Amino acid sequence: MIRRVMHTFTTISDWRRFRRSVSGVGPLLFVPTMGALHPGHGHLVTIARQTAGPAGCVCVSIFVNPLQFGPGEDFSRYPRPLENDTALLRQWHTDVLFAPSTAEMYPHGATTVAVDPGPLGEIWEGKLRPGHFRGVCTVVAKLLAIMAPDILILGQKDFQQQLILRRMVRDLNFPVQVLTAPTVREADGLAMSSRNRYLSAQERPRAAAIFEALRFAAAEIRAGRRKVAPLVDAMTETMRRAGLQVDYALPCHPETLAACDDVVTEPCVLLAAGKLGSTRLIDNLLTPDPKPV
Ligand code: AMP
């Protein structure tokens, strides 16, 4: 077994010096995160490690990006357990942790130039969180310029986000290949998320209703019951019964994210989001199931 030392960089200049020293040795794989790491992130790092091979370099960033949080959202209370995250990244055989401060990323305050996520950034999550995807695209564009990876690894958990970032990479010619990794779930189906730790003991079992709604709709579609209205009603009702305040729950086209009208045609993505108490939950399912990465 190759014993690896994990390098931690907090400044762009130190990272770039190291980057030059490993350039050409093997592929550089990059997993951007906001930290508060869980096995969902771990799966992305594992895919990176497998893809990298022994000569490749697996880099993970931890940066809670203020630009993607709206006023009244959870930026200040977002968990930042850096010591625990560092230990997990070592266990997952990460080569590089890039953990810059806000001042390092935004030395002149919020950027005056930003990346416009386009029409996909205006629907669903984008409509409920104005400016969110502009913040996401801008920070990921900066991170791609800084890290200069060969492969970027994103999670299907944030379906709309990975779609917009793929579009950004394509439209702006970033020289990077994008891989989307499947969602890692708790035993009851709840998608793992850093925000799940906000859930109270009473809320936690009810949070699985979002997955129950998605799974039910996927089974209905597979069984040929494809009328949109009853599917939307059933999904919404399953989530409501568990106490969720539903933002949206519906089948959409997996490339345009346009809502399916009247009858579902496959492939489609089932999108669902809502609030349980003060915790926002989002999840999705593709039907038919995608091939594993
Ligand atoms: P975050 O730290 O929440 O910004 O997430 C960082 C990356 O991990 C994003 O590409 C997410 O889509 C991905 N991710 C988050 N939760 C999961 C999960 N449960 N399974 C797989 N990937 C995930």
Side-chain angles (χ1 to χ4, degrees):
M1 190 185 88
I2 302 171
R3 281 210 172 275
R4 292 171 175 271
V5 181
M6 185 172 86
H7 302 269
T8 299
F9 300 102
T10 56
T11 68
I12 298 167
S13 56
D14 284 350
W15 153 251
R16 283 199 166 135
R17 204 166 305 120
F18 179 84
R19 174 82 177 86
R20 280 193 291 276
S21 75
V22 297
S23 157
V25 177
L28 198 148
L29 289 96
F30 176 44
V31 181
T33 82
M34 298 204 299
L37 302 176
H38 52 70
H41 297 112
H43 190 52
L44 269 56
V45 177
T46 301
I47 289 174
R49 186 74 275 159
Q50 284 163 355
T51 315
C57 184
V58 173
C59 305
V60 175
S61 66
I62 294 183
F63 180 62
V64 185
N65 173 35
L67 249 56
Q68 70 190 68
F69 288 79
E73 288 189 356
D74 55 347
F75 174 68
S76 50
R77 74 162 177 148
Y78 200 85
R80 291 164 171 87
L82 190 59
E83 229 174 274
N84 192 55
D85 284 353
T86 305
L88 284 172
L89 289 173
R90 283 207 180 92
Q91 278 175 31
W92 297 337
H93 308 290
T94 307
D95 296 308
V96 170
L97 164 60
F98 180 59
S101 65
T102 305
E104 181 69 11
M105 288 297 279
Y106 300 114
H108 315 290
T111 57
T112 49
V113 174
V115 179
D116 179 351
L120 277 178
E122 269 150 42
I123 51 178
W124 313 127
E125 284 306 287
K127 194 166 192 172
L128 287 150
R129 305 181 67 188
H132 171 65
F133 287 120
R134 185 180 166 91
V136 169
C137 285
T138 303
V139 80
V140 174
K142 279 169 72 74
L143 287 168
L144 290 176
I146 293 164
M147 304 307 288
D150 299 293
I151 300 177
L152 169 67
I153 305 196
L154 303 171
Q156 189 199 313
K157 157 77 167 57
D158 299 285
F159 191 85
Q160 188 173 2
Q161 170 174 282
Q162 62 85 38
L163 202 61
I164 292 171
L165 291 174
R166 278 175 174 276
R167 214 49 71 79
M168 177 184 87
V169 161
R170 183 196 74 181
D171 289 354
L172 301 185
N173 301 88
F174 282 92
V176 67
Q177 184 193 338
V178 183
L179 296 182
T180 301
T183 304
V184 178
R185 300 180 178 282
E186 302 284 357
D188 63 358
L190 175 66
M192 290 189 180
S193 162
S194 308
R195 290 189 168 99
N196 290 352
R197 63 187 74 190
Y198 300 151
L199 295 166
S200 70
Q202 289 73 38
E203 288 166 342
R204 172 60 193 84
R206 290 192 275 124
I210 190 163
F211 179 63
E212 212 181 293
L214 292 166
R215 200 173 42 177
F216 172 79
E220 288 291 284
I221 293 166
R222 271 196 301 276
R225 289 184 284 275
R226 296 175 173 224
K227 280 225 149 268
V228 170
L231 284 173
V232 169
D233 287 349
M235 290 173 78
T236 308
E237 191 44 36
T238 303
M239 288 166 65
R240 271 210 194 115
R241 261 202 319 267
L244 274 133
Q245 198 186 306
V246 181
D247 287 328
Y248 53 85
L250 77 172
C252 293
H253 188 281
E255 291 290 328
T256 63
L257 297 188
C260 295
D261 46 32
D262 201 21
V263 175
V264 175
T265 50
E266 285 186 294
C268 94
V269 62
L270 293 154
L271 298 180
K275 235 174 162 188
L276 189 54
S278 61
T279 310
R280 187 112 200 301
L281 300 170
I282 68 167
D283 201 353
N284 68 85
L285 264 190
L286 278 162
T287 165
D289 265 343
K291 286 188 215 86
V293 185

